[in-house]
Amino acid sequence: MSGVLIHLPQDPPQTLRLGAGEVARFGRGSDTVAVELRLDDPAVSRLAGEIRVSEDHWLLSNHSATQSYLVENPEGAGEYLRVPPRRLAAPIPFEFARVVLPTRDHVVSFQVFAPDHAYLDPHGPAGGRRGTQTLTAYSLDETATYFLVLVALCEPRLRDESALAVPTTPEIVERLRRLPQCERLTARGVSAHIDYLAEEKLRIVLPEQRDAGRGARRNGKREALVGIALRFGLVGETHLGLLPSRSAAACHGAQTQAAAR
């Protein structure tokens, strides 16, 4: 099973990886209270809670005595869970989640990418009771935002526009922002989705990039993602229909430029 990837979109961003059975504590922290995920806000408890990874899901504990936390499903239709004060080990069912903590002026949040969810083999015996369960080599949710990012990365090659072109992060943001579920998608969010695809979903290893700069590593991930997705047929021409119309996007861009003049 893949581990959990926790992403805190701060400056600089912080990313943690946890394996099954591992724990990450989050909160404001102090000299005497160590936390793996530091949330620098005076309204956040020094030890606000913890995340514990199970085999195919994760558990959230709320150590606050007064504040509830929300766990939102950004990929769904507004689904969320409320974790009340002092609740321990609440199981979180979402594959991609945003943990939200209230503060005096705004909220603080971080993202959690969960392990691959397990499903019965649709071609196996009823109930999956006989034999060993068949695992999916690449488990992708075609309704998730990370899959839209993958399709946008592959689009130029699917359209035969260039054998080398791989879209940049700003180009992906611009390409997807006309979709309702991507209206608030940011460059950092796209980068987090790329990391999740490369490290958890498609499990890309780029040893030649370890000593290179950050930009080179990012480009290597993009190219490797596109290569695997197209070679194994994880993304095809039929998936281009998930993206917004290019003609509508071009018209919108022209109107925006005209208004700027």
Side-chain angles (χ1 to χ4, degrees), residues 9 15 18 20 42-43 69 78 103-104 128 141 148 150 164-165 187 191 198 234-235 247 252:
T15 301
L18 302 178
Y69 302 156
T103 68
R104 294 177 67 90
D141 180 357
L148 290 173
L150 183 59
L164 301 176
S191 296
L234 306 177
V235 175
S247 59
H252 175 73

Side-chain angles (χ1 to χ4, degrees), residues 197-233:
L197 284 163
E199 297 169 16
E200 302 298 331
K201 287 299 185 179
L202 305 190
R203 301 177 297 282
I204 291 171
V205 178
L206 298 173
E208 71 278 6
Q209 297 291 339
R210 288 174 183 165
D211 299 326
R214 184 174 180 180
R217 290 197 300 271
R218 184 75 67 190
N219 289 336
K221 284 182 182 179
R222 295 170 191 276
E223 294 168 359
L225 284 172
V226 171
I228 289 179
L230 296 183
R231 283 200 302 271
F232 287 96

Side-chain angles (χ1 to χ4, degrees), residues 166-181:
V166 177
T168 65
T169 294
E171 288 172 340
I172 294 174
V173 172
E174 182 64 27
R175 186 73 182 94
L176 298 179
R177 65 173 38 175
R178 290 181 59 81
L179 295 173
Q181 65 269 43

Side-chain angles (χ1 to χ4, degrees), residues 46-175:
R46 289 181 175 83
L47 181 56
E50 70 175 32
I51 289 173
R52 182 179 297 273
V53 182
S54 182
E55 294 252 334
D56 60 355
H57 65 283
W58 55 282
L59 308 169
L60 177 66
S61 293
N62 180 354
H63 291 173
S64 172
T66 59
Q67 299 288 352
S68 293
Y69 302 156
L70 295 183
V71 183
E72 300 174 340
N73 177 15
E75 310 292 356
E79 297 97 337
Y80 69 90
L81 297 176
R82 181 183 295 108
V83 181
R86 301 181 299 279
R87 173 68 158 94
L88 299 178
I92 308 301
F94 308 135
E95 184 178 7
F96 174 41
R98 180 184 295 113
V99 180
V100 182
L101 283 68
T103 68
R104 294 177 67 90
D105 300 320
H106 54 291
V107 298
V108 295
S109 66
F110 55 88
Q111 301 159 347
V112 182
F113 297 85
D116 292 342
H117 290 182
Y119 296 91
L120 290 175
D121 184 352
H123 304 295
R129 289 187 292 270
R130 295 189 182 90
T132 303
Q133 182 181 4
T134 300
L135 300 179
T136 302
Y138 299 118
S139 175
L140 298 174
D141 180 357
E142 296 187 6
T143 67
T145 301
Y146 68 73
F147 190 77
L148 290 173
V149 170
L150 183 59
V151 175
L153 282 171
C154 296
E155 182 180 24
R157 295 192 188 179
L158 286 172
R159 297 188 188 277
D160 292 327
E161 294 176 347
S162 171
L164 301 176
V166 177
T168 65
T169 294
E171 288 172 340
I172 294 174
V173 172
E174 182 64 27
R175 186 73 182 94

